Amino acid sequence: MGHKGVPALRLILCFVSFIVTPHIVHGDLSYSFPEEMKPQSVIGNIAKDLSLDLRTLSSRKARVDSEGTRKRCCDINLSTGDLITSERIDRESLCGKKPSCVLKVDLVLENPLELHRVSLHVQDVNDNSPKFKKDLIEMEIRESADKGNRFSIEQARDADIGQNAVQRYNLEKNEYFILAVDNKAELVLENTLDREKQKELNLLLTARDGGSPQRSGTVVIHVTVLDANDNAPVFSQAVYKASLPENSPPDTIVINVSATDADEGVNGDVTYDFGHVSDDDIHVFSIDPKTGEIRTTDLIDFEEKSSFEIIVEAKDGLGLTSYAKVLIDITDINDNAPVIYLKSLTNPMPENVPPGTEVGIINVQDRDSENNRQVRCFIQQNVPFKLVPSIKNYYSLVSTGQLDREVVSDYNITISATDEGSPPLSSSKSVQLSVADINDNPPVFEEQSYSAYLSENNKPGSTLCSVSARDPDWRQNGTVIYSLLSGEVNGAPVSLYVSVNGDTGVIHAVRSFDYEQFRSFKVQVMARDNGSPPLSSNVTVSVFISDVNDNSPQILYPAPEGNSFMTELVPKAAHGGSLVSKVIAVDSDSGQNAWLSYHIVKSTDPGLFSIGVHSGEIRTQRDISESDSMKQNLIVSVKDNGQPSLSATCSMYLLISDNLAEVPELKEMSNYESNSKLTSYLIIALVSVSTFFLTFVIIILGVRFCHRRKPRLLFDGAVAIPSAYLPPNYTDVDGTGTLRSTYNYDAYLTTGSRTSDFKFVTSYNDNTLPAEQTLRKSPSDFVDPFEDFEAAEEVGNIQSVSRRELEFLSEPLFYPSDCAKCRHPLFCSPTLPSGYLNTSLREEYLLCLRIFQRQSRFTQALTNLHFNYVQY
């Protein structure tokens, strides 16, 4: 019942009569308030009673939770902190006739989880009037009834309790009956009835409660005067008690009531019926009017109502009645599975949260009672989370390990709850939890290092290679951007050589490369993600430039025409196969592009001389005869092995003579071939020392003939080729460079060698200098030609050089900047990127440079020094 039909003044007075008073018991809150308050009415101030700031209530998501499926009766106004009603509260529908009506709700605060139990005491308001079961009570009383006989009447029912329930009865004044109210209302016969005088009586009975304002209900008692019926039915028990399990099927026998009547015949026939039964209970039970057997007519739910109180009426055939009470207790069975409520969840959860972080709040409820409502809650899967019991039936979902989105990005957590009933019931709930990404992974290159191969003379913009890095992070944290790290290549910024596409990692050449300038270089590529802060990693890219046959062979000896006039003297006694001279050429390219082959394309006497295809050595094919022309001219072509092949040619002038007296004829040869201005100086020098020179030649030829059977050869003294011209990468079947190591040479000068263009040489084959042995020279071997030089003593410090040392002649020692300082034509060639020298000769080379700076005439000495050590 609501306030409908109740005057406003009575409502106000009723509301004022109940004062809402908060109090704290054992840390919980308790409020009392009257029923039938309007929605949004204030019950109390939660913030004030808990000493909480209003902002704290809002930030900690304060809320009120009710148990089970019960409707929420109150809520919190977060702006004021008031506990307010959310709907109409009717004490009678909530608690019935219970003397105390207490609603239990939970006040939940999060971060951290805090739970307060709030007890709401609903005070009764006199909002229900007393009510009889029927508007008319039929009674039959025999006229023979004696004065003082008592006749029970049905009592009025009032849904209110205490003072608001039925307090007294008033019977309308009449001459026959008065009302006696002790434990029950009864009519007392004050005067005997006379059926003949009055067969029927109508008595008005009023029931009044004690509320303010007072309420009442009336019933009309219709008394029919009969002949005497002296005994009313009598129940075997005043109170019957029964126990019934909930969910008992319909038509289950609950109890059997029994009443007897001492009268006979119709007066002793007893029929049974329910007395006053509430509208909710009327459809739950039924009674057999003949036997008094009470049965169920519907399912009974313990969670809805745990007990029933029924008044049973026994009436005889003439209308005498008696009443008994039936108390039915409903026993609980485990028919309700636990219910899991997800109260709070942080979703998504950052992957860097530490273990022990609270992710969510779980509430588990079971509507059953006692052991049937004891619940165990757990997580089924093997996930890095656990349930930590918190307050009452609340659990905190807590992380147990470090999360990694790159391993598992989403978790489907199944939470199960099982009660302790028999048999136990369980339920489960799935919680979807996503892991939010943070930038915790740097890009990782697919390879530890990269190599790019490119032919020289490439076009700018050509692709070298592509690098690729993976970042397992998400979105911008996993977006990779490529860039070059700052550095230098040959003293220039790396950005002048290569570039990288920031999006694809493709590396392009910015310029055209020259293999002869540098053959390889390294760059550092950085892969950086777009996270905050960004993470990065580096990788080394090695760029290797392959050679292209873009350099023609360069002939070092004999010197190109127009530069100088060089003549080789061949003894007339030279036999077939004798070494006459050697064409020395180099190729700046490498590999097969630097493999050189030598060919005589034209000669004065085609059958007299031959040239080694790979060595460039010019030998006699037969013995020299008197009929052979003294002046021989050979045109030699030098080709590399590239595709297409490149070549160069030179002219070799040979003079067949044993007698220095014939030397003046060289002047004609000089005028005819080269017109060199040096010819006159050579002729004058030879004539002035002819005697000494002839003697020296005979001695040398005799010594060499005895040891080697090889003829002494006359070379131009200015053409010794130092190792600085040796190409570093030439390789043939013998494992040698462009200049083969078949022969080593020693140089001998005449006393006038400072201005002479000729020298004697002796050849040594491979047996002369075996591997791992040392060719030793005494200082005097080098001092004689340099009598006038101050540096002779310094040069004499060079004691020996081993074959092992000669194998490292291709190592680069000096760079163009060093050659620019040196400016010596024998060590610095404009066609080669740098000089090459064995590291064991480093100090000697520097010594020669210092001496050369002091005295330009040291050229001849330096030439002979290197010609002995580095002719490979």
Side-chain angles (χ1 to χ4, degrees):
M1 291 182 159
H3 295 296
K4 191 177 294 183
V6 180
L9 179 59
R10 294 174 63 188
L11 284 175
I12 296 175
L13 293 175
C14 178
F15 180 75
V16 172
S17 65
F18 296 95
I19 302 175
V20 178
T21 59
H23 61 279
I24 300 176
V25 179
H26 302 298
D28 292 342
L29 298 178
S30 179
Y31 295 93
S32 296
F33 63 98
E35 66 173 328
E36 301 298 340
M37 292 178 67
K38 294 181 179 180
Q40 306 301 316
S41 298
V42 177
I43 297 174
N45 191 285
I46 292 290
K48 179 179 178 182
D49 296 335
L50 292 179
S51 301
L52 294 175
D53 187 72
L54 294 179
R55 290 176 295 180
T56 302
L57 288 178
S58 178
S59 63
R60 295 181 64 182
K61 302 179 182 178
R63 64 178 181 274
V64 173
D65 283 345
S66 300
E67 290 188 0
T69 58
R70 179 176 293 172
K71 295 182 180 180
R72 181 181 297 179
C73 62
C74 57
D75 208 339
I76 296 178
N77 187 335
L78 296 179
S79 61
T80 62
D82 291 329
L83 182 67
I84 59 175
T85 60
S86 59
E87 62 180 5
R88 170 181 170 269
I89 300 177
D90 184 16
R91 192 202 67 82
E92 286 74 27
S93 63
L94 293 175
C95 303
K97 298 293 288 184
K98 292 181 181 179
S100 177
C101 185
V102 180
L103 302 180
K104 301 288 187 178
V105 296
D106 294 330
L107 174 63
V108 182
L109 301 174
E110 297 185 10
N111 298 319
L113 177 63
E114 185 176 345
L115 180 67
H116 294 272
R117 194 66 184 269
V118 181
S119 298
L120 303 178
H121 297 265
V122 182
Q123 303 295 337
D124 185 43
V125 174
N126 191 24
D127 58 340
N128 293 282
S129 299
K131 184 179 181 181
F132 292 88
K133 179 182 177 182
K134 301 176 182 178
D135 295 332
L136 178 64
I137 299 176
E138 294 284 346
M139 297 184 67
E140 295 178 346
I141 302 175
R142 288 186 177 276
E143 60 180 351
S144 59
D146 296 332
K147 289 183 179 180
N149 283 353
R150 292 175 177 264
F151 304 94
S152 297
I153 59 175
E154 179 190 7
Q155 295 183 354
R157 305 283 294 184
D158 194 331
D160 297 323
I161 61 174
Q163 284 296 113
N164 295 326
V166 176
Q167 297 297 318
R168 64 181 183 275
Y169 294 87
N170 293 324
L171 181 64
E172 186 181 30
K173 191 175 182 179
N174 62 87
E175 62 177 311
Y176 297 103
F177 296 93
I178 61 174
L179 184 66
V181 180
D182 294 326
N183 294 328
K184 57 183 178 178
E186 295 178 320
L187 290 178
V188 179
L189 185 62
E190 191 176 37
N191 296 309
T192 58
L193 296 174
D194 186 356
R195 182 179 177 278
E196 288 71 26
K197 183 179 179 179
Q198 188 174 2
K199 296 190 299 184
E200 296 178 348
L201 296 174
N202 286 320
L203 306 177
L204 181 63
L205 180 62
T206 303
R208 300 182 185 277
D209 60 23
S212 178
Q214 191 179 60
R215 291 173 175 267
S216 63
T218 60
V219 65
V220 175
I221 303 174
H222 180 75
V223 179
T224 302
V225 181
L226 302 173
D227 287 340
N229 182 18
D230 299 334
N231 297 284
V234 178
F235 281 96
S236 60
Q237 295 175 222
V239 177
Y240 293 87
K241 293 182 179 180
S243 179
L244 180 69
E246 67 171 325
N247 297 332
S248 296
D251 207 33
T252 299
I253 298 176
V254 178
I255 197 171
N256 194 308
V257 297
S258 176
T260 60
D261 194 314
D263 294 324
E264 294 181 355
V266 177
N267 294 333
D269 292 337
V270 179
T271 59
Y272 302 93
D273 193 7
F274 287 136
H276 183 82
V277 181
S278 67
D279 295 337
D280 294 333
D281 299 341
I282 193 64
H283 300 294
V284 179
F285 301 99
S286 66
I287 187 169
D288 190 313
K290 295 295 183 179
T291 63
E293 188 179 72
I294 300 176
R295 294 175 179 266
T296 60
T297 59
D298 199 357
L299 291 176
I300 301 174
D301 189 358
F302 173 85
E303 286 71 41
E304 295 293 334
K305 195 167 185 178
S306 60
S307 64
F308 293 89
E309 180 179 326
I310 302 175
I311 302 299
V312 179
E313 175 189 77
K315 183 179 181 180
D316 61 20
L318 296 179
L320 294 181
T321 60
S322 62
Y323 297 91
K325 183 183 294 185
V326 179
L327 300 179
I328 304 173
D329 290 328
I330 308 300
T331 58
D332 182 45
I333 64 173
N334 192 28
D335 61 338
N336 290 280
V339 181
I340 302 172
Y341 297 96
L342 180 61
K343 297 296 184 179
S344 178
L345 182 66
T346 302
N347 196 12
M349 173 66 65
E351 62 177 321
N352 63 338
V353 296
T357 301
E358 184 179 83
V359 177
I361 299 173
I362 306 297
N363 178 239
V364 183
Q365 297 182 11
D366 194 316
R367 296 180 62 200
D368 295 320
S369 63
E370 298 180 354
N371 289 340
N372 294 334
R373 69 178 304 169
Q374 300 301 317
V375 178
R376 293 181 298 106
C377 196
F378 56 93
I379 295 177
Q380 291 185 355
Q381 308 102 314
N382 183 20
V383 293
F385 300 95
K386 67 178 180 178
L387 288 176
V388 178
S390 186
I391 305 170
K392 195 186 172 185
N393 52 355
Y394 282 84
Y395 295 82
S396 294
L397 183 61
V398 177
S399 63
T400 59
Q402 188 66 49
L403 304 180
D404 190 347
R405 190 204 67 83
E406 289 70 44
V407 177
V408 180
S409 60
D410 295 282
Y411 290 94
N412 184 10
I413 306 172
T414 302
I415 300 174
S416 297
T418 303
D419 61 28
E420 295 185 2
S422 180
L425 299 179
S426 62
S427 62
S428 61
K429 185 178 184 65
S430 294
V431 177
Q432 299 290 336
L433 180 63
S434 298
V435 182
D437 183 54
I438 64 169
N439 191 28
D440 58 345
N441 290 282
V444 177
F445 284 94
E446 293 182 350
E447 299 181 19
Q448 294 183 350
S449 62
Y450 290 84
S451 297
Y453 298 91
L454 181 69
S455 298
E456 65 173 325
N457 302 326
N458 59 288
K459 293 183 179 180
S462 57
T463 300
L464 296 180
C465 68
S466 176
V467 298
S468 179
R470 304 295 182 189
D471 194 320
D473 291 323
W474 196 43
R475 291 186 177 175
Q476 70 270 14
N477 292 336
T479 302
V480 179
I481 299 175
Y482 303 93
S483 61
L484 289 176
L485 291 179
S486 59
E488 291 186 352
V489 175
N490 281 1
V494 68
S495 58
L496 297 180
Y497 292 88
V498 295
S499 66
V500 63
N501 188 305
D503 297 326
T504 63
V506 176
I507 300 177
H508 299 277
V510 175
R511 54 173 289 180
S512 178
F513 297 112
D514 188 356
Y515 176 84
E516 287 69 43
Q517 290 184 357
F518 54 88
R519 303 179 182 184
S520 65
F521 60 90
K522 295 182 179 181
V523 297
Q524 292 283 332
V525 178
M526 179 179 69
R528 175 180 58 83
D529 59 31
N530 236 356
S532 179
L535 301 178
S536 63
S537 60
N538 301 334
V539 72
T540 299
V541 179
S542 300
V543 181
F544 298 95
I545 302 169
S546 59
D547 184 46
V548 173
N549 191 29
D550 57 347
N551 291 281
S552 300
Q554 180 184 359
I555 298 175
L556 304 180
Y557 181 81
E561 294 185 9
N563 295 338
S564 63
F565 172 68
M566 289 171 285
T567 302
E568 301 286 354
L569 296 182
V570 180
K572 292 181 179 180
H575 298 289
S578 299
L579 177 64
V580 174
S581 182
K582 181 175 182 178
V583 176
I584 301 175
V586 294
D587 196 315
S588 298
D589 295 321
S590 65
Q592 67 177 8
N593 294 330
W595 294 357
L596 301 181
S597 60
Y598 301 84
H599 308 276
I600 298 176
V601 297
K602 184 178 180 181
S603 64
T604 303
D605 189 346
L608 182 57
F609 298 101
S610 65
I611 189 169
V613 175
H614 300 293
S615 64
E617 295 176 347
I618 299 176
R619 296 177 180 270
T620 57
Q621 294 192 79
R622 56 180 174 79
D623 294 344
I624 297 176
S625 63
E626 294 295 335
S627 61
D628 291 328
S629 174
M630 178 181 293
K631 295 179 288 185
Q632 296 288 333
N633 181 20
L634 304 180
I635 298 178
V636 178
S637 172
V638 182
K639 295 183 180 180
D640 59 28
N641 200 35
Q643 293 295 331
S645 176
L646 301 179
S647 64
T649 59
C650 66
S651 294
M652 176 68 72
Y653 301 100
L654 303 177
L655 180 62
I656 301 175
S657 176
D658 289 331
N659 191 349
L660 293 179
E662 300 173 355
V663 171
E665 296 179 3
L666 292 175
K667 182 176 181 180
E668 298 177 4
M669 185 176 183
S670 173
N671 292 332
Y672 176 77
E673 298 291 345
S674 62
N675 294 321
S676 173
K677 64 180 181 179
L678 296 178
T679 304
S680 58
Y681 298 103
L682 292 174
I683 295 174
I684 296 173
L686 290 175
V687 172
S688 63
V689 295
S690 59
T691 304
F692 175 79
F693 186 69
L694 182 59
T695 304
F696 188 78
V697 170
I698 294 173
I699 295 173
I700 294 302
L701 289 176
V703 173
R704 301 307 293 170
F705 182 81
C706 293
H707 290 282
R708 299 290 182 179
R709 304 290 294 176
K710 298 286 185 175
R712 304 298 183 125
L713 304 182
L714 191 61
F715 275 66
D716 184 356
V719 296
I721 306 302
S723 65
Y725 288 103
L726 297 179
N729 293 331
Y730 176 78
T731 303
D732 58 16
V733 294
D734 295 328
T736 62
T738 303
L739 301 179
R740 296 173 58 84
S741 58
T742 304
Y743 287 89
N744 295 308
Y745 300 91
D746 286 339
Y748 301 90
L749 302 178
T750 63
T751 55
S753 61
R754 291 180 231 169
T755 57
S756 174
D757 287 339
F758 299 96
K759 69 175 180 180
F760 290 105
V761 299
T762 60
S763 61
Y764 299 87
N765 57 23
D766 288 336
N767 296 326
T768 305
L769 187 62
E772 305 301 334
Q773 294 184 8
T774 302
L775 174 64
R776 298 190 176 275
K777 293 288 183 177
S778 64
S780 61
D781 294 332
F782 300 98
V783 172
D784 290 342
F786 311 120
E787 295 176 348
D788 299 330
F789 294 147
E790 297 176 357
E793 295 179 0
E794 298 183 57
V795 178
N797 292 329
I798 304 174
Q799 298 295 324
S800 65
V801 58
S802 67
R803 180 65 173 270
R804 177 65 176 171
E805 291 171 333
L806 296 178
E807 292 177 355
F808 292 91
L809 293 177
S810 61
E811 295 184 8
L813 178 63
F814 295 97
Y815 294 91
S817 59
D818 300 313
C819 290
K821 298 175 183 177
C822 173
R823 300 188 183 280
H824 194 289
L826 299 179
F827 290 94
C828 301
S829 171
T831 62
L832 295 177
S834 64
Y836 291 82
L837 191 64
N838 189 342
T839 54
S840 64
L841 302 180
R842 182 190 304 269
E843 294 182 0
E844 287 81 354
Y845 178 71
L846 294 175
L847 177 61
C848 291
L849 289 180
R850 290 195 298 270
I851 297 174
F852 173 76
Q853 292 173 354
R854 295 198 305 268
Q855 193 170 15
S856 61
R857 288 182 296 172
F858 192 66
T859 301
Q860 185 63 47
L862 194 60
T863 298
N864 293 331
L865 172 64
H866 281 277
F867 196 74
N868 279 279
Y869 275 84
V870 302
Q871 193 61 259
Y872 197 63

